[in-house]
Amino acid sequence: MAQQGHSIDEYLETIYFLAFPIGEYTPRGAGSPPLASRVAEMLGVSRASAGEMLKRLEAEGLIERGERKEALLTGTGRERAERVVRKHRIIERLLTDFMGYTGYEAHERADELGDTFTDEMIERIDAKLGHPERCPHGWPVDTSIEQEENRDLAPLAALEPGTRATIVRLAEHDGELLHWFYDQGLVPGQEIEVRSAEPAADQFTVKLDGGERAVSERAAAGLFVKPAA
């Protein structure tokens, strides 16, 4: 059984997000929190539970440990993780496009429904949806496109004042933050301009629809944007 109700697939999905630089938890250098702590934070479980599951994933050949004891997806692990990520995004589109759920609600429900749909069912849903390119939060359904697109994106927190940009993706593993993004109109496709950046004060200000929004550093780090050329 997975620890505290989380399946192997949910752990693999979490490690997938930790693995890529544009991901929601950018890999950090020396002195950063251990992997088990970061996985536990994203899944809302204890560090001990996360550590036990990581050992299980390693024993099953889905991850291996790098030189600094970080978890690296094996070929098998990465293939499975990418299937899980794609399934989650297609389910989100089903929930928003056909069932009227908001983007925030769709993310929560997709987590609950992931194990309900077989791969064959997901392919049928994908076809019925017309093969959507992105989930409601802007992440490409095709993970290879996601990884190729990463080089063109940056977190809002990395931009200088005066920079104009288009929101492309929203960090989705923090439900409270994701809800806030939608409430504030900070959604994919929205044009913004950074008016001020004060990381030490935990505050950024952006221009949006003629008005201004105060954005915390945490939120700014979870808004992935494409700066204007």
Side-chain angles (χ1 to χ4, degrees), residues 10-214:
E10 287 177 285
Y11 273 84
L12 286 173
E13 182 180 13
T14 300
I15 294 169
Y16 172 87
F17 279 113
L18 288 166
F20 296 97
I22 197 65
E24 301 186 18
Y25 280 59
T26 302
R28 306 164 196 171
S32 65
L35 176 75
S37 295
R38 298 170 71 196
V39 171
E41 179 184 359
M42 289 183 76
L43 289 176
V45 300
S46 70
R47 180 178 170 182
S49 292
E52 286 302 310
M53 180 57 85
L54 291 174
K55 290 178 184 177
R56 178 177 172 183
L57 295 177
E58 188 173 10
E60 295 189 12
L62 297 171
I63 66 171
E64 57 189 8
R65 296 303 184 123
E67 294 179 1
R68 298 180 181 178
K69 302 299 182 183
E70 73 274 26
L72 306 172
L73 290 167
T74 62
T76 301
R78 176 168 174 170
E79 181 180 345
R80 181 166 169 177
E82 290 180 341
R83 282 203 313 271
V84 172
V85 169
R86 178 175 179 270
K87 175 188 283 191
H88 181 98
R89 294 171 183 174
I90 290 173
I91 292 172
E92 286 182 324
R93 289 250 58 121
L94 171 69
L95 292 170
T96 56
D97 295 6
F98 277 87
M99 302 182 70
Y101 284 95
T102 65
Y104 164 70
E105 292 170 335
H107 175 70
E108 286 195 322
R109 300 299 188 276
D111 276 341
E112 298 165 0
L113 294 170
D115 293 335
T116 305
F117 296 96
T118 65
D119 290 344
E120 186 266 344
M121 292 169 71
I122 288 297
E123 295 312 313
R124 286 176 175 253
I125 293 170
D126 182 45
K128 286 291 186 182
L129 290 171
H131 306 292
E133 295 182 358
R134 295 178 183 269
C135 80
H137 323 300
W139 295 83
V141 170
D142 185 332
T143 54
S144 64
I145 293 176
E146 171 194 341
Q147 293 152 27
E148 181 179 340
E149 183 182 76
N150 285 347
R151 60 175 176 243
D152 297 323
L153 304 182
L156 176 65
L159 303 187
E160 296 292 330
T163 304
R164 298 188 179 197
T166 302
I167 298 173
V168 178
R169 307 176 189 166
L170 310 177
E172 60 180 0
H173 274 82
D174 183 331
E176 181 182 318
L177 183 60
L178 183 63
H179 199 180
W180 185 83
F181 285 147
Y182 282 103
D183 281 349
Q184 296 297 311
L186 294 164
V187 295
Q190 185 68 58
E191 302 286 336
I192 58 173
E193 178 183 344
V194 181
R195 302 304 294 270
S196 68
E198 302 177 68
D202 189 32
Q203 184 169 309
F204 293 74
T205 305
V206 299
K207 183 178 179 181
L208 171 71
D209 288 335
E212 292 190 348
R213 299 278 195 286

